[in-house]
Amino acid sequence: MIDSRGTTAKPAVGVQLFTLRDFCDRDFDAVLERVAKIGFKAVEFGGFHGRRPEDLRRALDRCSLKAISAHIDIDRLGGDIDGVAADALVLGWKYVVCPGIPEDRRNTAGYRAVAKTLQTVGQRLCRDGLQLAYHHHAFELETFEGKTGLQWLMD
């Protein structure tokens, strides 16, 4: 992997905290401590578990962990992008990830609307040096009017 300075950088190995969500709900600090003790250097958030970004940042710093990204649902992305960007800057994410599309929007009109929202969100995030990503699933490969959901999003 080549970093922004053109030098070889060893990628950090991270864990997606959504996979540990039940444990995070019970004792978030203990999860971060254990993740760090195991040897992970980075995490991806799948929710804040009732905590404020500033509190999460202190917990990450105590465990010497970096937050690389977070899954943020499409409704919050479309309705509170400035708040999402502010959270990302506090927590140090580089990527804001849309984790998918609600079932009721998995149709041509829904994909078009989501794509428009994602385009606006991506442009806004760029102002703060952030990147938008999309976590795809099998359902985006279903076809609507001759194109898959994923094609509707990319177009």
Side-chain angles (χ1 to χ4, degrees), residues 96-134:
V96 175
V97 182
C98 178
I101 297 174
E103 193 169 349
D104 65 340
R105 294 181 224 173
R106 295 178 194 166
N107 54 56
T108 303
Y111 279 111
R112 283 182 178 148
V114 168
K116 185 175 182 177
T117 297
L118 292 177
Q119 183 173 15
T120 301
V121 166
Q123 290 169 344
R124 166 59 185 86
L125 291 173
C126 282
R127 291 198 322 240
D128 287 321
L130 303 166
Q131 294 181 12
L132 177 65
Y134 183 83

Side-chain angles (χ1 to χ4, degrees), residues 100-101 105-116 118 134-155:
I101 297 174
R105 294 181 224 173
R106 295 178 194 166
N107 54 56
T108 303
Y111 279 111
R112 283 182 178 148
V114 168
K116 185 175 182 177
L118 292 177
Y134 183 83
H135 181 118
H136 69 85
H137 309 81
F139 66 76
E140 286 98 349
L141 300 177
E142 294 174 21
T143 303
F144 303 93
E145 296 184 28
K147 294 198 295 192
T148 66
L150 200 53
Q151 287 171 311
W152 281 109
L153 293 176
M154 291 188 294
D155 286 352

Side-chain angles (χ1 to χ4, degrees), residues 73-96:
D73 71 67
I74 189 67
D75 293 328
R76 180 159 187 231
L77 288 173
D80 184 26
I81 190 55
D82 289 333
V84 170
D87 291 349
L89 295 173
V90 167
L91 288 162
W93 314 326
K94 180 178 180 177
Y95 303 99
V96 175

Side-chain angles (χ1 to χ4, degrees), residues 28-46:
F28 193 78
D29 288 327
V31 170
L32 291 181
E33 289 167 11
R34 182 71 174 144
V35 161
K37 186 175 181 180
I38 291 169
F40 288 102
K41 304 293 181 201
V43 297
E44 176 181 66
F45 282 96

